[in-house]
Amino acid sequence: MKFRILAYCAPLVFMAACSQTKPTTTAIPRLQKQGTATQMMVDGQPFLMLAAELHNSSASSLEYLKPIWPRLAAMHINTVLTPVYWELMEPEEGKFDFSLVDGQIQEAGGNHLRLVLLWFGSWKNGMSSYIPVWVKTNQDRFPRVQDKDGKGVEILSTFSSANIDADAKAFAALMRHIKQVDTQHTVIMMQVENEVGVLGDSRDRSAAADKAFAEQVPKELMDHLQQRGDDLFPDLHKLWKAAGGKTAGTWEQIFGKGPATDEIFMAWNYSRYVDHVTAAGKAEYPLPMFANVWLSGPDRKPGDWPSGCPEPHVMDIWQAGAPQIDAYAPDIYSPNFAEVAEKYHRAGNPLLIAETSAQTADVNVFYAFGQHGATSFSPFAIDSLGMPRGGGEMTPPDKLPLTASYEIVSQLAPLILEHMGKGTMAGVLLGDEDAPQTIALGSYKLEVSRPRFRRPTPPPAPAPAGATAAAPAPTLPGPPVAPERSSALIISMGPDEYLVAGSGGVSITFSPNSPGPPIAGIAYVEEGTFANGQWVAGRRLNGDENGQGKNVRIGAMGNNGRIQRVKLYRYH
Ligand code: DGJ
């Protein structure tokens, strides 16, 4: 059976899908809100960023990159996040070498890939390892963060106009150059710096920092906090209120004494610095620009993570200090992917996943786009995905689980773009311990669960000395061990119809959530693909594959990797 995708999505969206590979117009890439989501607009059309990031040093050699571009394209990646190194771009003060940038734009464009350039300027993972040697070796002119003993560390201080100016000049030169050479808009977005913040201490202890710390909290920040009021991130709100909820005072008077206040102080100062650099770049060429985040963790303190980085609890401070920054983008490597995504999809912040583990990306991608209508999703270290430990042949792109997931998501891209932010699409992420989730979507309630999978029997404990060894426990029969997590992306297509895709094992049952007959039945399920904008139906799944009409299953009976179209009906 065939039916046209145009029945499902507006012509505009359909055109967007086609435009993903062929830049044609001259509109500058920009962000645009759609309901609760934010879309990337490229060549004037919505564009779903199925992205991936290279290893840190890959972009220092065009030769090294040459075989990588086609491999990325074969993985259904459409956008590559790749660094620009200040040290190589401005090896001598005022003398710029853009050959690496130009080479990347040319190669990416030739492979129908877009680029997000990562400005490794003053900071990379808190440290200043990528600053030019002429900056590194002139500590008097370019001051550093100081520790409690007055010693400098390899982190440029935010409390220096020389540091800000040098970085801003270089970044402005980069943006001026991109504007000149990139007429096809291969570069669609910029990341300004990389995971900024002070490492090893909760704040800079230099004399300039101490002086600023003793001053009043700037009025513009206080005004912002008051305006946000109860909408502030709860931890920040609590800290402020616990210190008396004052509207004027020094940092310690407003937020109390301790590392959390030091962190807020650094967040403000990093945000002002990054805003200045960003503004200088945007004055030349106003692409969307974001800052990425090294996330804090439990049982840790500011300084264990870069103190001042736009963590969820100081994102409000950054929003006040860096109005030029369009998004705060988490680098999510922890298993609590959903929790982090939620914390960054608030207060008007577009959800851009700047980095995430490439090992779990094939599962999490369905959740990120389905539940949040994410602007972008980007696994890190993509150039080594499929490389065996210790070397050897790379796994071909078409054998990687990430390729399978990206392939499905790119088929669904026009529909995801159409539905994002409107409440007609959902995403679910489930681990072994998670209870089933109930979602109200369209005119039904969906119960989404992860089937119980058999785990391998643990080996018997060693017998105590002298005892007769216990017989090994028998291995129980059962289905094969499932991947650790499952995900689903579900789109409500109309009153009685859903599209479902995902990864791992998932089971979905339906019950009515609108007036009418009280029982939901499955009229039919078909698996299929979208090819050139048309739904091409494959098997009808009405037997064991859907429990004889009881549910819809992802990952059962060989249907993993297919989109399923579900038609429901109601009866008494
Ligand atoms: C996060 C950083 O932003 C990346 O540049 C890289 O260092 C990864 N961590 C490594 O896991």
Side-chain angles (χ1 to χ4, degrees):
M1 182 196 168
K2 283 190 173 194
F3 68 97
R4 292 186 62 71
I5 193 173
L6 289 181
Y8 279 158
C9 64
L12 184 75
V13 177
F14 178 67
M15 278 158 56
C18 305
S19 77
Q20 294 204 1
T21 52
K22 212 176 168 203
T24 46
T25 70
T26 53
I28 297 179
R30 65 189 168 87
L31 292 167
Q32 181 172 288
K33 289 267 174 214
Q34 174 171 293
T36 56
T38 304
Q39 293 187 329
M40 188 65 207
M41 303 295 288
V42 177
D43 295 331
Q45 305 292 339
F47 177 79
L48 196 69
M49 293 170 67
L50 277 165
E53 181 169 330
L54 297 174
H55 275 287
N56 292 161
S57 300
S58 306
S60 62
S61 162
L62 295 175
E63 217 33 52
Y64 171 87
L65 282 179
K66 208 153 190 73
I68 292 173
W69 301 111
R71 182 175 163 88
L72 301 184
M75 291 164 71
H76 295 272
I77 289 163
N78 63 18
T79 306
V80 186
L81 278 71
T82 160
V84 176
Y85 316 100
W86 185 9
E87 59 170 343
L88 298 181
M89 196 192 86
E90 195 183 4
E92 271 181 67
E93 188 168 8
K95 295 210 172 117
F96 296 102
D97 175 354
F98 295 111
S99 52
L100 290 173
V101 177
D102 294 347
Q104 291 192 73
I105 292 177
Q106 200 179 333
E107 289 288 328
N111 284 280
H112 306 292
L113 293 163
R114 306 285 180 162
L115 291 176
V116 173
L117 296 180
L118 317 174
W119 173 236
F120 284 9
S122 292
W123 303 287
K124 155 75 178 74
N125 293 28
M127 306 305 291
S128 296
S129 53
Y130 281 102
I131 57 178
V133 175
W134 55 269
V135 178
K136 259 186 200 166
T137 52
N138 194 346
Q139 192 178 350
D140 287 343
R141 182 173 160 206
F142 302 111
R144 292 157 178 233
V145 166
Q146 281 181 18
D147 67 14
K148 284 180 178 137
D149 305 323
K151 278 205 230 93
V153 285
E154 207 172 333
I155 302 175
L156 285 182
S157 175
T158 56
F159 300 94
S160 154
S161 54
N163 292 353
I164 301 181
D165 289 348
D167 190 334
K169 258 191 208 157
F171 188 62
L174 172 63
M175 296 314 295
R176 191 158 54 241
H177 181 77
I178 296 170
K179 185 182 179 189
Q180 270 165 18
V181 299
D182 188 26
T183 51
Q184 295 296 294
H185 301 134
T186 297
V187 182
I188 58 174
M189 208 186 254
M190 302 295 296
Q191 178 188 291
V192 189
E193 316 292 345
N194 191 86
E195 295 187 342
V196 304
V198 175
L199 276 172
D201 199 348
S202 52
R203 74 169 176 89
D204 188 348
R205 308 277 167 186
S206 62
D210 283 350
K211 181 173 171 293
F213 193 60
E215 285 167 3
Q216 298 278 297
V217 174
K219 185 175 173 322
E220 50 202 303
L221 175 55
M222 289 316 308
D223 287 349
H224 184 85
L225 296 182
Q226 281 169 273
Q227 240 167 44
R228 281 276 167 92
D230 290 347
D231 291 336
L232 287 171
F233 193 82
D235 300 20
L236 180 66
H237 192 251
K238 215 163 112 196
L239 204 69
W240 179 27
K241 294 296 158 192
K246 300 179 198 74
T247 53
T250 63
W251 296 89
E252 289 187 332
Q253 284 166 349
I254 299 286
F255 299 108
K257 216 174 163 64
T261 296
D262 296 349
E263 185 186 18
I264 292 170
F265 168 68
M266 288 318 304
W268 173 255
N269 286 290
Y270 274 104
S271 71
R272 296 305 297 136
Y273 189 120
V274 169
D275 195 61
H276 190 92
V277 174
T278 308
K282 281 192 174 178
E284 297 293 341
Y285 185 34
L287 287 180
M289 301 197 186
F290 68 94
N292 70 330
V293 186
W294 168 335
L295 293 162
S296 59
D299 307 322
R300 289 168 166 251
K301 54 188 189 319
D304 294 341
W305 65 81
S307 181
C309 204
E311 307 296 324
H313 52 274
V314 292
M315 198 172 87
D316 293 296
I317 308 287
W318 270 80
Q319 286 179 325
Q324 295 291 326
I325 285 289
D326 298 298
Y328 298 98
D331 298 341
I332 316 180
Y333 293 92
S334 49
N336 60 340
F337 186 94
E339 193 191 319
V340 176
E342 219 153 272
K343 285 182 178 165
Y344 278 91
H345 197 194
R346 62 170 280 274
N349 190 51
L351 183 64
L352 267 98
I353 313 289
E355 295 174 33
T356 190
S357 157
Q359 273 64 41
T360 49
D362 58 305
V363 176
N364 291 338
V365 64
F366 290 102
Y367 172 81
F369 286 124
Q371 182 62 13
H372 292 282
T375 309
S376 171
F377 180 86
S378 171
F380 178 73
I382 201 65
D383 33 336
S384 62
L385 186 65
M387 188 184 280
R389 266 179 205 281
E393 285 281 295
M394 292 281 273
T395 307
D398 63 340
K399 298 281 182 295
L400 293 168
L402 182 68
T403 304
S405 295
Y406 267 33
E407 206 265 318
I408 295 171
V409 176
S410 39
Q411 283 182 51
L412 290 171
L415 288 169
I416 294 174
L417 286 165
E418 186 195 348
H419 285 267
M420 63 175 22
K422 292 180 178 169
T424 50
M425 182 166 67
V428 178
L429 202 50
L430 288 168
D432 266 347
E433 307 307 321
D434 294 331
Q437 289 186 26
T438 304
I439 311 168
L441 188 67
S443 31
Y444 291 85
K445 265 200 245 163
L446 285 61
E447 190 178 273
V448 188
S449 59
R450 187 177 139 80
R452 297 231 153 261
F453 287 94
R454 180 179 62 102
R455 290 271 157 230
T457 316
T468 322
T475 309
L476 299 171
V481 175
E484 301 230 313
R485 291 173 86 71
S486 310
S487 62
L489 179 156
I490 306 155
I491 305 177
S492 164
M493 302 299 301
D496 298 306
E497 196 167 317
Y498 294 86
L499 282 180
V500 172
S503 179
V506 174
S507 159
I508 306 172
T509 55
F510 299 84
S511 58
N513 196 24
S514 62
I519 308 175
I522 291 182
Y524 57 84
V525 179
E526 57 189 21
E527 64 180 7
T529 49
F530 285 102
N532 300 322
Q534 287 192 324
W535 173 249
V536 182
R539 293 181 299 169
R540 261 296 168 116
L541 307 174
N542 268 340
D544 293 340
E545 298 82 2
N546 73 351
Q548 284 49 242
K550 277 204 290 294
N551 51 26
V552 171
R553 296 173 180 182
I554 299 170
M557 322 275 163
N559 79 350
N560 217 7
R562 294 294 180 95
I563 301 162
Q564 296 181 63
R565 180 183 169 223
V566 186
K567 189 84 188 160
L568 303 175
Y569 72 103
R570 312 260 296 252
Y571 64 98
H572 293 278

